[in-house]
Amino acid sequence: MQVDASDTSAPDLLLVGGGLANGLLALRLSQLRPDLDVRIFEAAHTLGGVHTWSFFDSDLTQAQRDWIAPLVVHRWPGYRVRFPQFERALSTPYCSVTAERFAAVVEAALPGKVMLGAPVASVSPTEAVLADGRRLSAKAVIDGRGPTATPDLALGFQKFVGLEVRLAAPHGLTTPIVMDACVDQAGGYRFLYTLPFDDRTLLIEDTRYTDGDALDRAAFRQGVLDYARAQGWEIETVLREEDGVLPVALDGDIGAHLSRMGPTALSGLRAGLFHPTTGYSLPDALRLADRLARDFELATIAQDIRRHAHDVWAGRGFYRLLNRMLFRAARPDERYKVLERFYRLPQPLVERFYAAGSTLADKARILSGKPPVPIGAALTCLVERGRA
């Protein structure tokens, strides 16, 4: 569905970018504020791109799981992790949202309000200028076009290439393997991630934590194929491919970042709203959508989002400390030991970690004992540069 080109009226809210954050915000506003005229302009020819977004049940409240339920295509009762010296099954339910379902649900919620194939060249708080020169006015604009340059933030990266494959025979998996680090570490922390969609269909991702954001798709793709072969899985056909480069926050000045971005309201990765360690943004996108939809004020939306983003960043210094230890203190080929040790901890602690809700006791437990990194190197990571 697309916006009526003859409709020149100014909407209440113009969402620039049809990715996860803006799509979830549009969906939540359609549920709680159907009186608002909300429109999406997306450069690509589909909402959501080619992505699979996943989350743990424990990442969200029951109310949030209820309203996102129409987007969930796959749900499993638990998941597994594998490390060279340790393997574990956890009973936390795990869910996945596909881009196809995301696009269908969001477009159905905004009939005639989605413009595809419409790249935006520039934005201001109340206007967007399309690449073809057309100017679109609105009472408010939110820029959710994904990550951009971040000179005020120090980032590492979680990079992946995933292949959805159809196998010649059943694979035998009943739950996802969210980390299999029993593979060559390739000079950093590397693991394979596998989602079983049915008895013969898998999404397999080669995932690596690296200092730089360059993605060698061919090498990652070969990593997936080699892993499948090592598991004894014969690939009958590759159904599709997806990839991503997710930020991992190490340190920085979020206030300076938000100021550099200008006065227009932001969402998603552009606003710094992602889990510092995993780079996943779905839970944060849901929380922002809930917050804005329940207390929506057009006049202050940019300030409200910036205040929220600053508060979120300020509350997650512990995770950035752990990330600095992983990237700056751990030897590259031994980084997996940090995660191997972490996954020996109690399941409720693991759940709170992924929900970015670790308690003081959790933090003490994670840091207690002999660290899996050199002590001297760990001490150099304690101070966060640029922290307000």
Side-chain angles (χ1 to χ4, degrees):
M1 296 183 184
Q2 295 197 350
V3 174
D4 182 354
S6 65
D7 184 358
T8 58
S9 61
D12 293 301
L13 184 61
L14 180 59
L15 301 174
V16 178
L20 182 65
N22 277 355
L24 290 178
L25 176 56
L27 179 61
R28 195 58 170 151
L29 287 171
S30 75
Q31 296 169 348
L32 298 184
R33 291 297 306 273
D35 56 301
L36 294 173
D37 183 358
V38 179
R39 305 182 194 182
I40 298 177
F41 278 73
E42 163 58 35
H45 292 284
T46 182
L47 295 179
V50 182
H51 292 292
T52 303
W53 299 284
S54 298
F55 62 93
F56 300 101
D57 261 13
S58 51
D59 291 344
L60 309 177
T61 66
Q62 183 60 57
Q64 290 167 339
R65 292 197 295 272
D66 289 344
W67 77 256
I68 200 179
L71 299 173
V72 175
V73 178
H74 304 284
R75 188 176 190 275
W76 301 271
Y79 66 99
R80 300 187 68 84
V81 293
R82 294 174 178 168
F83 296 94
Q85 304 298 323
F86 179 69
E87 182 172 341
R88 183 181 185 185
L90 294 95
S91 61
T92 310
Y94 195 65
C95 304
S96 288
V97 174
T98 64
E100 293 81 5
R101 177 70 63 82
F102 171 82
V105 172
V106 173
E107 289 192 20
L110 273 73
K113 302 293 185 179
V114 176
M115 174 64 78
L116 303 174
V120 171
S122 64
V123 297
S124 72
T126 58
E127 185 180 69
V129 180
L130 297 182
D132 63 11
R134 282 181 293 166
R135 309 181 81 87
L136 307 169
S137 296
K139 295 176 184 176
V141 173
I142 295 182
D143 185 359
R145 289 176 292 174
T148 186
T150 58
D152 301 298
L153 307 179
L155 302 176
F157 299 92
Q158 182 195 160
K159 305 182 297 193
F160 65 89
V161 169
L163 300 181
E164 184 177 339
V165 298
R166 183 72 174 168
L167 304 181
H171 47 69
L173 298 181
T174 57
T175 58
I177 305 171
V178 302
M179 284 186 185
D180 186 346
C182 300
V183 293
D184 180 77
Q185 292 296 284
Y189 179 49
R190 175 180 177 234
F191 62 89
L192 273 291
Y193 168 91
T194 304
L195 300 180
F197 290 158
D198 63 35
D199 66 340
R200 289 174 54 200
T201 306
L202 296 171
L203 174 63
I204 310 172
E205 293 181 354
D206 188 329
T207 304
R208 310 183 192 192
Y209 277 68
T210 64
D211 297 315
D213 62 356
L215 179 61
D216 185 344
R217 290 174 178 81
F220 281 58
R221 189 181 303 116
Q222 189 61 50
V224 171
L225 298 176
D226 291 344
Y227 180 77
R229 188 177 305 110
Q231 304 308 305
W233 298 331
E234 180 184 349
I235 295 176
E236 191 173 80
T237 184
V238 175
L239 302 174
R240 66 182 182 90
E241 179 175 326
E242 63 180 83
D243 60 62
V245 179
L246 304 179
V248 175
L250 305 179
D251 57 25
D253 186 336
I254 191 64
H257 168 72
L258 295 172
S259 295
R260 186 186 297 271
M261 294 299 295
T264 303
L266 306 172
S267 68
L269 297 179
R270 193 163 285 232
L273 293 172
F274 56 89
H275 191 289
T277 301
T278 67
Y280 287 3
S281 58
L282 186 146
D284 276 348
L286 259 79
R287 293 170 192 138
L288 180 64
D290 263 344
R291 176 171 176 156
L292 294 180
R294 292 184 183 282
D295 188 20
F296 191 80
E297 294 290 343
L298 281 169
T300 61
I301 193 167
Q303 298 94 313
D304 292 343
I305 293 174
R306 287 167 193 271
R307 188 180 306 111
H308 173 71
H310 191 281
D311 291 346
V312 167
W313 183 275
R316 294 180 176 177
F318 173 73
Y319 303 99
R320 296 192 294 277
L321 167 62
L322 296 182
N323 295 343
R324 292 195 295 277
M325 289 184 174
L326 179 67
F327 277 84
R328 295 173 179 169
R331 297 182 181 92
D333 61 344
E334 295 186 352
R335 289 175 178 172
Y336 75 89
K337 293 182 179 180
V338 176
L339 281 300
E340 185 176 67
R341 178 177 182 270
F342 169 76
Y343 263 108
R344 293 179 184 272
L345 297 172
Q347 180 173 307
L349 182 152
V350 174
E351 292 175 345
R352 289 189 292 269
F353 180 91
Y354 281 119
S358 298
T359 65
L360 287 175
D362 291 341
K363 295 173 184 179
R365 183 75 180 272
I366 290 170
L367 293 175
S368 65
K370 182 181 178 181
V373 299
I375 295 293
L379 291 175
T380 66
C381 297
L382 294 179
V383 178
E384 180 171 359
R385 297 192 299 270
R387 185 170 182 179

